[in-house]
Amino acid sequence: MPKRLTLRLMLLLVAALAALASIHPESVSADVPYQTYYKDNYNQLFKMQAAYTPAGALGKDLFIPDPSNPGQTVYSPLNQPQDLYIDSRDHIYIADTGNNRIVHLDAEGQLAGLLTLPESPFNRPQGVFVDTNDDIYVADTGNQRVVRLNGEGELLAEFGRPESKLIPEAFKYDPIKLVVDKRGFMYIATLGGYQGLLQLDPQGEFQSFFGANKTGFSLSDSIKRLLYTREMYEREISKLPGSIASVDKDENGFVYTVTKEVRTKQLKKLNIAGLDQLAGKGEFADTMTDGSFGEYTHRAGRTGYPQLNDLTVDGNGNMTVVDSKLNIVSQYDGNGNLLFFWGGAAGDTTTKLGIVKIPAAIETNSANDLFILDSENNIVQKYRLSEFGALVHKANQLTQDGRYEESEPLWLEVNRLNAYYAPAVLGLAKAAYKKGEYERAQELFKQAGWAQGYSDSFWQNRLLWFQSNFGLLMNVVIGALLILFAARFTARRLGFGGTKRKAGRSEQKQASRPLLRQLGHAFYVLKHPIDGFHSIRYEQKGGLLSSTILFVLALVSYAIMRAAISFIFNPSIIVEVQIVTILIQFIVVWLSFVIANYLISSLYHGEGRFRDVLYGSAYALFPFILLGIPITLISNVMTLSEQSIFTFLEYGLYVWVALLFFWMVQGIQNYSVGETLINLLLSIITMAICAVLVFIVFSLTSELFNFIYSVYQEVTIR
């Protein structure tokens, strides 16, 4: 009995220790009702520790003096607020749109005053800004004006629609957001203003439109412009660039904008000339990023693209944006690199601290706390940096300032807490490169997915290798040349290796082995392509076995190229390469071309049979066998500075294969150049039509199967 009791106690102790070990000190605590994520430049999503934690809700208990009962107060909550601003004292100003007022809270969130402008009341104000002189600018949307008030709420100036010949007559002046720079120049975002921000001087005179978005131009637009008449094109609905939804600025004079109606470059960092400094989207621009901002997860019930409606810039230059559609907050550093993002599904009836139903605006105070205005719940949610978030901010700021070695201990701690967080790996890679640890830096840069850093580290490693092995390398080359010279000299002295005798033996060997003769014909095709393909058709220089061998070798070579080309030129290999998918795509495209070309040639007076097209299409892939693996090997000893050489070799290979397919059709079908071009164009169109038909057939088959299965379930249930 004592033994059993002891055993049970030991089991309970082990279970308790296991439960304690499973609790990670940096895991999301129970008071954080949302999940924080990081998405690398390959769109791989990782859960991580909370970067910000809820710290309170402001503006929910607003009691103002009761005008009908002096000395008494009355509850007056926010009503559909649309904007907030935090000044240098950390005082909060809220554009209380539904109540036609500006609510002023102190640094502790207590009511400090109300701005209503009784002599000229506000009408649905949607934007507020406070300059360094504590003057308050209000975007009074309903009154189509911008007003300037002093700290006591007294009217100083009023700016209506500016008069200028440069402003279109159709321009609608409905200011919604604004900022003011150190010169007193106003940058105003207007409702539907696709021309950009309205830039006014301190007197309200129009200066220019600033930071306009570009109009998207798709492939269908190009086709329309090519095929449509002028009258047809003019009847098309005009495509306009997206209008700026909000604007902010930092201490260095950069102006930031966000736009809802675009899928890329939703966030911009504009210099004084209006040029976007985030055009490449940070350090990962050389890999697989598309220049888009605003993150999202594939949660059930959440579809569509991000709709960014406001942003804020903290003291470290980090940019935080809110998505009014997906309820997600995304934060980027000053170069546009993602730091983290978070969000949670807001319940229809319940309200949780930290969950925002409709984020209308976002701001940052001097302590880098975030404040998000919830226009549905009529409150301001406050978020404070967690220990992990503060560590990331501090380490990233040191890295951005070029103090890589100082940031290394911090990044090591971040990496210890979360090994999948790519910015930490990138920071460690930069520190290793700075210290001259190029082999470690190369490995870390590859792990982080930054091709430029990997290339720079590889260049240094390659240089060091050449410096230490140059003497040995030259001795090997000289020794090989001497051995080759000696062998040729000896062969001549002894009378071996006559070219005529070797040629005769080779011809006899190939004649006795048809397969070798057919495989050797691939080299003749490269030298004389039209005659070579003509021989396949009329002289049986190609066969099924030889064509199969060439096709399989080309397929293998192509797969090796896709999977083993250097990370520098093919960053996608850092993610798992789907070899089976690559092989299937290659086979399907090649086989569909063979079928489509034979069908078109049969209708277009071609002389080639199906087997001739099949054999010729296999022989046309021969350059993949010759150059595929060499190009792959060469890519692994090159850097980005030699990218033009690699690009020339790679594109040259594809052009060579394309020309061989052209000459194959010309030689086998006995076409002229013009007939060959028409045949290839019709073949490509046929391939596209077949792909659409196959897709439709599979879709209908799937629907039919689902229908039959649903009928079967209905019958069996009843």
Side-chain angles (χ1 to χ4, degrees), residues 255-568:
V255 175
Y256 301 76
T257 64
V258 288
T259 306
K260 284 185 177 182
E261 298 89 357
V262 294
R263 295 186 179 181
T264 60
K265 299 184 180 179
Q266 303 97 325
L267 172 62
K268 289 185 177 180
K269 178 181 180 181
L270 306 170
N271 61 15
I272 194 171
L275 300 177
D276 184 16
Q277 305 302 295
L278 302 177
K281 197 185 175 182
E283 295 164 316
F284 295 109
D286 60 336
T287 53
M288 299 175 65
T289 55
D290 57 1
S292 64
F293 293 88
E295 310 304 326
Y296 59 92
T297 60
H298 299 286
R299 295 199 310 265
R302 294 290 182 181
T303 58
Y305 290 89
Q307 298 288 321
L308 306 184
N309 63 309
D310 199 25
L311 80 154
T312 184
V313 184
D314 65 21
N316 296 324
N318 299 317
M319 304 167 291
T320 310
V321 297
V322 289
D323 186 333
S324 60
K325 183 177 181 179
L326 304 179
N327 289 355
I328 287 181
V329 184
S330 306
Q331 187 170 88
Y332 305 87
D333 66 18
N335 291 325
N337 300 305
L338 178 66
L339 294 179
F340 16 67
F341 67 98
W342 66 93
D348 295 330
T349 57
T350 60
T351 300
K352 294 182 180 179
L353 182 64
I355 294 294
V356 178
K357 287 190 176 180
I358 300 181
I362 186 169
E363 260 298 325
T364 310
N365 65 5
S366 59
N368 290 336
D369 297 329
L370 288 178
F371 296 78
I372 300 179
L373 180 64
D374 189 342
S375 63
E376 175 72 16
N377 290 323
N378 297 315
I379 59 172
V380 178
Q381 298 263 20
K382 181 180 179 181
Y383 300 83
R384 183 171 290 118
L385 271 171
S386 67
E387 183 179 350
F388 177 80
L391 189 63
V392 169
H393 275 202
K394 187 175 181 180
N396 192 66
Q397 187 61 38
L398 291 173
T399 299
Q400 298 297 320
D401 293 340
R403 298 153 65 183
Y404 303 120
E405 295 183 50
E406 294 181 44
S407 69
E408 186 175 22
L410 301 179
W411 283 130
L412 282 171
E413 178 63 14
V414 174
N415 186 251
R416 185 188 70 81
L417 295 173
N418 193 325
Y420 296 101
Y421 190 56
V425 180
L426 181 60
L428 292 173
K430 290 182 177 180
Y433 186 89
K434 181 69 174 179
K435 294 192 298 183
E437 300 173 358
Y438 300 120
E439 291 187 5
R440 179 168 174 263
Q442 180 179 333
E443 180 183 349
L444 289 172
F445 277 128
K446 185 173 183 180
Q447 184 180 342
W450 194 29
Q452 181 63 58
Y454 179 88
S455 174
D456 294 341
S457 303
F458 178 75
W459 189 90
Q460 295 288 350
N461 289 324
R462 189 179 65 179
L463 178 63
L464 293 173
W465 186 88
F466 271 111
Q467 288 176 345
S468 59
N469 295 278
F470 181 77
L472 176 62
L473 185 64
M474 293 306 298
N475 289 334
V476 170
V477 172
I478 293 173
L481 291 175
L482 290 175
I483 292 173
L484 179 62
F485 177 78
R488 293 186 63 181
F489 179 78
T490 303
R492 288 179 182 177
R493 296 283 295 180
L494 297 177
F496 295 116
T499 56
K500 292 184 179 180
R501 184 180 303 175
K502 286 184 178 180
R505 290 177 181 175
S506 178
E507 290 177 359
Q508 292 177 2
K509 189 174 183 180
Q510 289 190 4
S512 61
R513 298 184 180 180
L515 178 60
L516 294 178
R517 176 175 57 82
Q518 291 175 352
L519 292 174
H521 185 67
F523 292 95
Y524 182 81
V525 167
L526 297 182
K527 296 179 180 179
H528 310 283
I530 297 179
D531 291 340
F533 288 117
H534 192 271
S535 300
I536 292 176
R537 168 65 181 88
Y538 294 101
E539 300 177 16
Q540 288 74 47
K541 292 296 184 68
L544 178 61
L545 182 57
S546 61
S547 300
T548 303
I549 293 174
L550 291 175
F551 176 77
V552 171
L553 292 177
L555 182 64
V556 172
S557 179
Y558 178 76
I560 292 174
M561 284 183 62
R562 292 289 301 273
I565 281 180
S566 172
F567 161 73
I568 295 175

Side-chain angles (χ1 to χ4, degrees), residues 686-707:
T686 304
M687 291 171 63
I689 293 174
C690 291
V692 172
L693 291 176
V694 170
F695 175 77
I696 293 174
V697 169
F698 274 102
S699 299
L700 293 178
T701 304
S702 177
E703 292 293 332
L704 178 62
F705 175 78
N706 292 334
F707 173 75

Side-chain angles (χ1 to χ4, degrees), residues 99-376:
N99 289 323
N100 297 321
R101 64 188 182 182
I102 303 298
V103 177
H104 177 196
L105 307 179
D106 61 19
E108 285 72 37
Q110 300 301 317
L111 181 64
L114 297 174
L115 306 177
T116 58
L117 201 61
E119 66 273 23
S120 181
F122 296 124
N123 184 6
R124 300 194 64 79
Q126 295 191 36
V128 60
F129 179 86
V130 183
D131 66 11
T132 54
N133 298 321
D134 293 332
D135 287 346
I136 304 166
Y137 292 78
V138 179
D140 192 6
T141 310
N143 288 324
Q144 297 181 324
R145 64 177 180 172
V146 171
V147 297
R148 179 185 176 190
L149 315 174
N150 61 18
E152 286 71 37
E154 298 173 348
L155 180 63
L156 299 179
E158 182 177 340
F159 308 101
R161 176 190 170 100
E163 297 295 332
S164 175
K165 296 180 180 179
L166 301 177
I167 300 178
E169 293 183 4
F171 177 77
K172 192 175 181 182
Y173 182 63
D174 292 326
I176 53 175
K177 296 290 189 298
L178 79 161
V179 295
V180 182
D181 66 14
K182 296 178 180 179
R183 304 169 298 169
F185 278 60
M186 293 171 279
Y187 297 83
I188 305 170
T190 58
L191 186 63
Y194 63 86
Q195 297 89 346
L197 296 174
L198 198 66
Q199 187 185 46
L200 307 182
D201 65 15
Q203 288 72 41
E205 298 295 328
F206 175 76
Q207 297 300 309
S208 66
F209 286 109
F210 185 85
N213 294 300
K214 294 182 179 179
T215 305
F217 196 75
S218 62
L219 178 61
S220 62
D221 295 321
S222 302
I223 297 174
K224 288 179 181 179
R225 177 168 291 186
L226 180 65
L227 301 178
Y228 281 18
T229 63
R230 183 180 182 86
E231 291 75 14
M232 294 171 62
Y233 200 76
E234 288 178 348
R235 285 197 296 268
E236 284 283 304
I237 299 176
S238 299
K239 295 191 66 174
L240 301 176
S243 60
I244 294 173
S246 188
V247 58
D248 199 4
K249 74 176 191 68
D250 64 13
E251 297 177 354
N252 298 319
F254 288 102
V255 175
Y256 301 76
T257 64
V258 288
T259 306
K260 284 185 177 182
E261 298 89 357
V262 294
R263 295 186 179 181
T264 60
K265 299 184 180 179
Q266 303 97 325
L267 172 62
K268 289 185 177 180
K269 178 181 180 181
L270 306 170
N271 61 15
I272 194 171
L275 300 177
D276 184 16
Q277 305 302 295
L278 302 177
K281 197 185 175 182
E283 295 164 316
F284 295 109
D286 60 336
T287 53
M288 299 175 65
T289 55
D290 57 1
S292 64
F293 293 88
E295 310 304 326
Y296 59 92
T297 60
H298 299 286
R299 295 199 310 265
R302 294 290 182 181
T303 58
Y305 290 89
Q307 298 288 321
L308 306 184
N309 63 309
D310 199 25
L311 80 154
T312 184
V313 184
D314 65 21
N316 296 324
N318 299 317
M319 304 167 291
T320 310
V321 297
V322 289
D323 186 333
S324 60
K325 183 177 181 179
L326 304 179
N327 289 355
I328 287 181
V329 184
S330 306
Q331 187 170 88
Y332 305 87
D333 66 18
N335 291 325
N337 300 305
L338 178 66
L339 294 179
F340 16 67
F341 67 98
W342 66 93
D348 295 330
T349 57
T350 60
T351 300
K352 294 182 180 179
L353 182 64
I355 294 294
V356 178
K357 287 190 176 180
I358 300 181
I362 186 169
E363 260 298 325
T364 310
N365 65 5
S366 59
N368 290 336
D369 297 329
L370 288 178
F371 296 78
I372 300 179
L373 180 64
D374 189 342
S375 63
E376 175 72 16

